[in-house]
Amino acid sequence: MAGGAAALTLLTATGAHAEGEGDIRVTKTVVNRGGNVIIGTARTVKYPIAITIKDDSGVKKISRLSTFNKSNGYGFVDWDGDSSCVRKSATTSVCTGTMTVDPGWIAASDDIDSNRVAGVWQVNATVNANDGDYWISDAIAEYKVKRAAQLTTDATPEPVAKGAKLTVKGKLSRANWEDLKYHGYPGQSVRLQFRAAGAAHYRTVKTVKTDNVGRLSTKVTATQAGSWRWYFPGTTTTSLKASAGDAVTLQR
């Protein structure tokens, strides 16, 4: 469920709208261990929200936890109402709630195109202390909820004569949360990468844009044996994806 670079912004209670009673405070919030949340078309996704809480009497629990798109206010993630707290000191604990989303819920959760709910999300919470203090905190963290991507690669001919042209095709698609199918993703810049036989890493050879149905096609000169793949770096709303490599040998 996590993919790509960490997408977390940490905010203290003083940097967010907050109100309550007593000295209890949220000092840190980490969503999905610092990674993006990637949701496809079928698999149920669960991810943690870990909140560091401080109070002079000690921390009791999270009593409210919600998360939703920052710009339009829609969300489709469920919290079961439970949290587990790990005591770090007499005054500080890390309390974690587990969030769940079944893709089958998404289309019924709003009255807009559900795909618009991908992007930057925020976390709101109410936390409680042992002495009855409580704190209502809004926007204590921001993170990204993204549509899962799929990417294929097919290099032909195989094998290929050294110095001859090799055609590398593929297709980039992403999850549509309305019909729970993958559709081609047009107009996206995708990197063609090559890893020579025996080498440890891929290198980018060129960048190609997907056509109006998400297809990719380009020609390269075959100079050595190795594997070809397409690499999509992702966007704010769509996950990073690297295709499986297609190994091509040279004719003897």
Side-chain angles (χ1 to χ4, degrees), residues 168-179:
V168 186
K169 296 183 178 182
K171 184 173 183 178
L172 174 66
S173 56
R174 61 175 175 169
N176 183 308
W177 291 337
E178 287 287 301
D179 63 8

Side-chain angles (χ1 to χ4, degrees), residues 160 163-168 192 205-206 218-223 228:
V160 63
K165 290 294 183 182
L166 186 71
T167 300
V168 186
L192 177 65
V205 175
K206 62 168 68 175
T218 191
K219 292 183 181 295
V220 292
T221 301
T223 59
W228 295 88

Side-chain angles (χ1 to χ4, degrees), residues 10-244:
L10 300 179
L11 303 173
T12 64
T14 56
H17 172 69
E19 59 183 276
E21 180 178 300
D23 64 345
I24 186 171
R25 294 293 184 272
V26 170
T27 62
K28 184 180 179 181
T29 303
V30 179
V31 181
N32 199 31
R33 301 176 183 86
N36 299 318
V37 174
I38 310 301
I39 301 170
T41 61
R43 185 175 65 87
T44 296
V45 174
K46 294 180 180 287
Y47 62 96
I49 298 180
I51 303 175
T52 303
I53 309 163
K54 186 175 183 179
D55 183 84
D56 62 0
S57 71
V59 176
K60 185 176 182 180
K61 65 178 180 178
I62 302 170
S63 58
R64 181 182 63 93
L65 183 58
S66 62
T67 184
F68 46 85
N69 183 285
K70 183 179 179 181
S71 63
N72 57 43
Y74 286 101
F76 43 66
V77 176
D78 182 60
W79 176 51
D80 63 8
D82 192 20
S83 64
S84 60
C85 295
V86 177
R87 184 177 174 180
K88 298 298 183 180
S89 71
T91 61
T92 303
S93 294
V94 177
C95 296
T96 302
T98 299
M99 315 308 287
T100 303
V101 56
D102 181 329
W105 303 342
I106 299 177
S109 68
D110 56 62
D111 56 5
I112 61 173
D113 178 352
S114 297
N115 297 303
R116 290 172 54 191
V117 188
V120 179
W121 283 37
Q122 75 177 57
V123 177
N124 292 359
T126 301
V127 297
N128 300 81
N130 290 326
D131 60 3
D133 291 354
Y134 69 94
W135 200 248
I136 303 169
S137 299
D138 295 341
I140 53 175
E142 293 179 2
Y143 66 106
K144 293 184 178 71
V145 175
K146 298 190 176 188
R147 298 161 64 179
Q150 293 183 339
L151 189 56
T152 62
T153 298
D154 183 30
T156 56
E158 300 179 51
V160 63
K162 185 174 183 179
K165 290 294 183 182
L166 186 71
T167 300
V168 186
K169 296 183 178 182
K171 184 173 183 178
L172 174 66
S173 56
R174 61 175 175 169
N176 183 308
W177 291 337
E178 287 287 301
D179 63 8
L180 300 183
K181 297 179 181 178
Y182 282 84
H183 297 264
Y185 194 8
Q188 300 303 305
S189 295
V190 183
R191 302 170 194 170
L192 177 65
Q193 298 185 328
F194 177 71
R195 184 181 67 193
H201 303 290
Y202 280 90
R203 60 178 176 84
T204 297
V205 175
K206 62 168 68 175
T207 298
V208 178
K209 279 199 170 184
T210 55
D211 69 8
N212 62 349
V213 291
R215 293 174 301 198
L216 294 153
S217 183
T218 191
K219 292 183 181 295
V220 292
T221 301
T223 59
Q224 58 187 131
S227 295
W228 295 88
R229 75 174 186 184
W230 294 103
Y231 173 88
F232 175 59
T235 66
T236 300
T237 61
T238 305
S239 69
L240 173 157
K241 189 67 177 180
S243 73

